[in-house]
Amino acid sequence: MLVFSFVGYTTLEVPVGSRLVIDAVLTPEAKRLEEVVVTALGVKREKREIGYSSEKINTDEVLRSNTSNVLGALTGRSAGVQVSTNDGVEGGSTRIVIRGNNNLARNNQPLIVVDNVPMDNNPGFDNVGRGVDWGNGINDINPFDIEDYSVLKGGAASALYGERGANGVILITTKRGKKQGGLGVTYNYNMKLTNPYRYREVQNKYGHGGPITFSEPVLRADTNGILQYPGIYGTDKLVIDQEGNTSTTAQEFGYYGSAVSWGPEMNGELIKWWDGEMRNYSPQPDNLKMAFRDGITQTHNVSVQGGNDKGTIRMSFTNQDQTPSWKTAIPTAPRSISAPTSGSPKS
């Protein structure tokens, strides 16, 4: 028997016998190739067989986004998925929510599963007032090592993960070695520039001081008549409380912070600063930009893979060098501030 076969056509078997020439005509065979998706616990199924929403993200788009956090690559690429960075700093924590918040008292972030190992996307910074943002645990996942990226939306999609998957599940499968002749070596490099462009809106007319008087604020002078840098004076008995006793504005209306803009108008007067030097009391419109600069992030990745009938292997090494967009040291000379428009505390 002589077998004729070709992709997209039915296989034809023809007996040879004593013939020297055989003419064969293959009949086209139409087959619809269905998309295969990874579901809960790494099970692969055709997309038309599942009864819930599951979306597969192209890994090439993850690399092109050039984000330090692989969750940031989902921004604008999956319906119903909201990704936000708390402080906008490169390498900081990223919060992700699928189809909105489900509860008010608990965490609304989805469960992340990497190679069937569940992990939480706990923030590295959870105190608004102080601390350092060390980023999420997902920051340790190398984008160059991702083979498959799927998003399971809703309770039905993530039922096999129980309560932890109630907010949805993000499945990440890393690359593995493949059978091939010899070892394959791959090198990748990318660079990203970060430019701070948006700053707080400030006013440049009134300077430092607290709301401690109903009169127009003025610069105070010492016994020698030298104008002093304005401070926040909270000991003045300027208001009457409900019992008819004199009190302070801080006690009656709350503490107004340490850098509010209820002080005298900045007209360039020569005043003595807290370090004893005489300087002009004038606004500094660009002082908010002093602590920032353009940041550069460079990423190098080298991977080696290979395999045979006995097994496969893949090794990957990534080095990321980051020059942050904020400066580690700024000029220490005292400068008058540009205060927020609302009079609230300024960083």
Side-chain angles (χ1 to χ4, degrees):
M1 300 293 292
L2 186 60
V3 179
F4 298 87
S5 62
F6 193 75
V7 177
Y9 293 83
T10 57
T11 302
L12 178 64
E13 296 182 358
V14 178
V16 179
S18 58
R19 291 183 292 177
L20 299 178
V21 179
I22 298 177
D23 297 327
V25 179
L26 301 183
T27 304
E29 181 183 30
K31 283 188 176 181
R32 183 180 178 183
L33 300 179
E34 296 291 342
E35 180 182 0
V36 177
V37 296
V38 179
T39 62
L41 301 180
V43 179
K44 295 184 178 180
R45 298 175 60 185
E46 292 187 2
K47 190 172 184 178
R48 62 182 178 86
E49 295 179 353
I50 59 179
Y52 47 80
S53 176
S54 175
E55 191 166 358
K56 186 176 181 180
I57 308 299
N58 190 342
T59 53
D60 293 335
E61 294 181 357
V62 176
L63 294 177
R64 279 198 299 269
S65 65
N66 199 11
T67 60
S68 58
N69 191 320
V70 295
L71 293 181
L74 288 177
T75 304
R77 290 184 171 87
S78 181
V81 178
Q82 299 176 349
V83 182
S84 59
T85 303
N86 298 331
D87 47 21
V89 177
E90 182 77 8
S93 299
T94 299
R95 184 176 185 269
I96 180 170
V97 176
I98 299 178
R99 292 180 175 176
N101 296 323
N102 295 327
N103 55 77
L104 298 176
R106 302 177 59 185
N107 187 10
N108 288 281
Q109 297 197 70
L111 176 67
I112 300 175
V113 180
V114 181
D115 291 337
N116 292 330
V117 178
M119 63 179 296
D120 294 321
N121 191 42
N122 294 324
F125 178 68
D126 54 8
N127 191 321
V128 179
R130 61 187 61 84
V132 178
D133 186 359
W134 299 106
N136 308 94
I138 196 67
N139 286 4
D140 296 333
I141 304 298
N142 183 11
F144 292 103
D145 291 338
I146 295 179
E147 177 74 25
D148 188 86
Y149 204 141
S150 301
V151 180
L152 306 182
K153 304 175 183 179
S158 53
L160 291 179
Y161 292 103
E163 184 183 8
R164 297 183 66 184
N167 299 317
V169 177
I170 297 178
L171 297 178
I172 298 177
T173 304
T174 58
K175 296 179 181 178
R176 288 162 172 76
K178 299 179 181 179
K179 294 176 59 177
Q180 62 183 49
L183 292 175
V185 180
T186 303
Y187 172 75
N188 295 282
Y189 169 80
N190 60 42
M191 182 181 69
K192 178 170 63 175
L193 299 177
T194 304
N195 176 250
Y197 71 98
R198 187 176 179 180
Y199 299 89
R200 293 186 62 179
E201 295 182 0
V202 297
Q203 57 86 19
N204 291 283
K205 184 176 181 180
Y206 298 99
H208 171 79
I212 59 172
T213 177
F214 297 112
S215 303
E216 180 179 356
V218 295
L219 293 170
R220 297 188 180 185
D222 59 10
T223 56
N224 297 322
I226 299 177
L227 298 178
Q228 305 292 310
Y229 183 83
I232 294 182
Y233 313 101
T235 59
D236 301 76
K237 303 294 184 179
L238 300 174
V239 296
I240 305 298
D241 59 18
Q242 296 181 359
E243 286 74 23
N245 301 319
T246 57
S247 180
T248 65
T249 53
Q251 292 175 345
E252 298 302 317
F253 308 117
Y255 181 59
Y256 30 78
S258 59
V260 291
S261 54
W262 297 90
E265 185 175 354
M266 294 182 287
N267 295 316
E269 300 94 332
L270 191 63
I271 66 173
K272 180 184 289 187
W273 288 64
W274 58 75
D275 60 350
E277 296 291 333
M278 300 296 295
R279 296 185 181 89
N280 291 329
Y281 189 59
S282 57
Q284 305 292 330
D286 295 327
N287 66 345
L288 291 179
K289 301 179 181 180
M290 292 171 56
F292 298 92
R293 63 185 174 189
D294 290 343
I296 302 176
T297 302
Q298 301 182 78
T299 305
H300 304 263
N301 173 262
V302 178
S303 61
V304 179
Q305 68 175 13
N308 51 32
D309 295 335
K310 296 182 179 180
T312 60
I313 187 175
R314 182 179 186 274
M315 296 180 293
S316 176
F317 174 79
T318 299
N319 175 266
Q320 187 176 82
D321 181 33
Q322 183 179 100
T323 301
S325 57
W326 63 91
K327 299 178 182 178
T328 56
I330 60 175
T332 56
R335 306 182 68 179
S336 55
I337 64 171
S338 297
T341 55
S342 62
S344 58
K346 182 188 76 66
S347 301

